[in-house]
Amino acid sequence: MPAVIVLGAQWGDEGKGKATDQIGQQTDLVVKYNGGNNAGHTVVVDGEKYALHLLPAGILSPGVTPIIGNGVVIDLEVLFQEIDEVSARGIDCSRLLISSAAHIIPSYNKVMDRSTEKFLGARQIGTTGRGIGPTYADKMNRIGIRIQDLFDPSILSQKVCGALVNKNHLLSGVYGLDPIDPDVVTAELLSYADRIRPMVADASLVVNDALDAGKTVLFEGGQATMLDIDHGTYPFVTSSNPTAGGALTGTGVGPTRIDRVVGVAKAYTTRVGEGPFPTELTDEVGDALRTKGGEFGVTTGRPRRTGWFDAVVVRYATRVNGLTDICLTKLDVLTGYEKIPVCVAYEVDGTRVDEMPLDQSSFHHAVPIYEELRGWSEDITDVTSFEDLPQAAQDYVHRLEEVSRCRISSIGVGPGREATIVRFPLLG
Ligand code: GDP
Ligand code: IMO
Ligand code: MG
């Protein structure tokens, strides 16, 4: 009865959607545990591309039960848009279950997100503007709106009014915007109640019952370790816990039930939004990597910042998540380089540092110490077994394994479901 967590080991967009879809085909349940429609997970099935934001990647595998856990924040308009779009392409969404304890992103939190960013000026985070931060803040502040509130109009109205008292002061008094009418927000939220009702479930009970019955469950993380509110490059992070612990609190499952924790890592590094990124390439080499890797955001279309593989980051991800396996993605993108630099440590103010620096300022000053590995020129996109990869590509993978301190169990050589070299099967 394996329970497998699949999460991002870098700054997001590592290919979690593809990995989840690929492993998820062999599982019974796929559960999302954090984030919201700040995520953009791409899955390519038979040449058809799906960009999923709120729906778990398991939605694309018939027979899998897709679940949105309590740790996710839901924009109802986006959820139903996505369900309609995917359904129109022949995908059955009637299997979807949603935790009654998941929080809703009310429209006012999208306004709050964009206004906060604007007023941060040069210190802005570069958020996706989807209302993620203010909604998690409301949750912690105990003024959030949950899915279950949709079924009690009086309570919902009281909660919306309560949440808007302070926000309207801020919007009109500080941000110079019109105050928001709580009745309009309440009516908008209530308009989704009947449609969502059949999907609402006690997700924790469903998942634990499934594990008791010997079924296989995959926990799909949004964002990534370095964007984690506790363990990432704070304040340039998202507002949830994408790390392994988040899979537990975000679904209502205990740590003793987890069998494998899989980190998804690109063979190089990318980042969207602001914040430190030691191996970033701001020159034409970085531009070429962006073009070659198609590194443009699935959610906002923003160009992703690009850089070489940072082993300090992935080693850190191995540690804070207790990774058992790494799914390495996009190795095909590195074909054609004579030498490939890999960052194995940093130099911070003249001193070598092998682990993530203790404080933010040091990380901002971190200069990568590179090891140069031999590249390869052969096309690897059709390779299906590790031994058939060029020797230099095999050596690259072996070295990443050493410096990341975790075995690399699969290697992506293309965006399609089938373009994966499995070295060690994660299930079975
Ligand atoms: P996620 O947010 O972690 O699910 O990743 P995204 O979907 O935002 O970005 C990953 C991109 O890389 C998508 O366009 C995928 O189709 C693509 N992709 C995933 N794995 C591979 C791979 O092994 N090779 C190539 N060339 N593309 C890949
Ligand atoms: P997936 O799941 C990459 C980044 C944003 C911004 C910061 C905070 O596709 O890997 P937020 O809107 O969450 O408050 O923004 O986090 N960010 C992501 N970057 N991939 C993602 O998701 C991201 N979700 C948020 O760019 O820097
Ligand atoms: Mg993404």
Side-chain angles (χ1 to χ4, degrees), residues 181-352:
D181 182 346
D183 291 339
V184 172
V185 176
T186 306
E188 190 201 330
L189 293 175
L190 282 175
S191 72
Y192 296 104
D194 287 342
R195 202 170 167 199
I196 206 167
R197 198 186 297 266
M199 303 172 190
V200 178
D202 181 339
S204 163
L205 187 61
V206 173
V207 174
N208 280 282
D209 279 353
L211 288 169
D212 288 344
K215 294 191 172 163
T216 303
V217 181
L218 189 154
F219 300 85
E220 177 184 1
Q223 294 75 55
T225 304
M226 299 308 283
L227 290 172
D228 186 280
I229 187 83
D230 286 281
H231 301 289
T233 47
Y234 190 91
F236 300 101
V237 292
T238 191
S239 301
S240 69
N241 285 118
T243 45
L248 310 178
T249 50
T251 59
V253 165
T256 49
R257 312 222 63 163
I258 304 300
D259 298 286
R260 310 215 72 80
V261 185
V262 181
V264 185
K266 260 179 209 173
Y268 49 98
T269 313
T270 63
R271 174 165 203 170
V272 199
E274 305 303 321
F277 178 0
T279 63
E280 181 170 16
L281 296 161
T282 50
D283 54 8
E284 62 280 4
V285 181
D287 293 342
L289 194 52
R290 180 179 310 110
T291 308
K292 233 173 139 196
E295 297 298 352
F296 296 89
V298 179
T299 298
T300 57
R302 288 181 290 179
R304 294 175 182 150
R305 299 157 66 192
T306 51
W308 300 122
F309 188 86
D310 187 336
V312 184
V313 162
V314 179
R315 204 154 60 228
Y316 177 71
T318 300
R319 165 159 55 99
V320 299
N321 295 296
L323 296 186
T324 57
D325 303 84
I326 287 176
C327 285
L328 189 72
T329 63
K330 302 191 106 164
L331 188 66
D332 53 301
V333 176
L334 292 185
T335 297
Y337 290 95
E338 206 170 308
K339 297 263 181 220
I340 310 173
V342 168
C343 166
V344 292
Y346 303 135
E347 190 183 302
V348 179
D349 301 328
T351 307
R352 182 184 166 114

Side-chain angles (χ1 to χ4, degrees), residues 20-311:
T20 303
D21 167 70
Q22 214 232 339
I23 308 164
Q25 288 175 77
Q26 310 155 56
T27 72
D28 299 297
L29 277 65
V30 174
V31 196
K32 282 196 89 152
Y33 61 82
N34 76 301
N37 59 312
N38 47 348
H41 291 189
T42 316
V43 183
V44 181
V45 184
D46 299 330
E48 284 252 347
K49 185 167 164 176
Y50 297 87
L52 303 172
H53 300 284
L54 271 165
L55 293 175
I59 199 91
L60 302 177
S61 302
V64 171
T65 303
I67 302 182
I68 297 180
N70 59 277
V72 174
V73 289
I74 303 174
D75 182 326
L76 293 167
E77 189 187 352
V78 172
L79 174 72
F80 286 115
Q81 244 169 33
E82 200 171 325
I83 289 177
D84 290 343
E85 276 168 29
V86 171
S87 302
R89 294 172 72 179
I91 304 295
D92 167 26
C93 291
S94 66
R95 302 163 288 142
L96 179 68
L97 297 178
I98 300 174
S99 165
S100 61
H103 279 246
I104 293 172
I105 303 177
S107 49
Y108 49 76
N109 278 344
K110 292 184 256 186
V111 180
M112 296 301 296
D113 191 357
R114 288 167 201 157
S115 307
T116 309
E117 279 283 89
K118 205 163 124 209
F119 277 76
L120 274 174
R123 291 187 302 116
Q124 70 170 20
I125 309 299
T127 73
T128 58
R130 304 297 197 257
I132 306 294
T135 301
Y136 279 113
D138 283 0
K139 174 177 174 173
M140 292 303 166
N141 215 8
R142 293 157 296 183
I143 55 164
I145 313 290
R146 298 194 291 174
I147 293 291
Q148 57 194 267
D149 299 324
L150 296 175
F151 311 117
D152 189 333
S154 155
I155 286 282
L156 179 69
S157 164
Q158 288 172 42
K159 289 189 174 180
V160 170
C161 286
L164 276 173
V165 174
N166 279 343
K167 289 180 202 277
N168 271 338
H169 276 301
L170 203 59
L171 286 174
S172 55
V174 179
Y175 296 155
L177 298 171
D178 289 337
I180 291 169
D181 182 346
D183 291 339
V184 172
V185 176
T186 306
E188 190 201 330
L189 293 175
L190 282 175
S191 72
Y192 296 104
D194 287 342
R195 202 170 167 199
I196 206 167
R197 198 186 297 266
M199 303 172 190
V200 178
D202 181 339
S204 163
L205 187 61
V206 173
V207 174
N208 280 282
D209 279 353
L211 288 169
D212 288 344
K215 294 191 172 163
T216 303
V217 181
L218 189 154
F219 300 85
E220 177 184 1
Q223 294 75 55
T225 304
M226 299 308 283
L227 290 172
D228 186 280
I229 187 83
D230 286 281
H231 301 289
T233 47
Y234 190 91
F236 300 101
V237 292
T238 191
S239 301
S240 69
N241 285 118
T243 45
L248 310 178
T249 50
T251 59
V253 165
T256 49
R257 312 222 63 163
I258 304 300
D259 298 286
R260 310 215 72 80
V261 185
V262 181
V264 185
K266 260 179 209 173
Y268 49 98
T269 313
T270 63
R271 174 165 203 170
V272 199
E274 305 303 321
F277 178 0
T279 63
E280 181 170 16
L281 296 161
T282 50
D283 54 8
E284 62 280 4
V285 181
D287 293 342
L289 194 52
R290 180 179 310 110
T291 308
K292 233 173 139 196
E295 297 298 352
F296 296 89
V298 179
T299 298
T300 57
R302 288 181 290 179
R304 294 175 182 150
R305 299 157 66 192
T306 51
W308 300 122
F309 188 86
D310 187 336

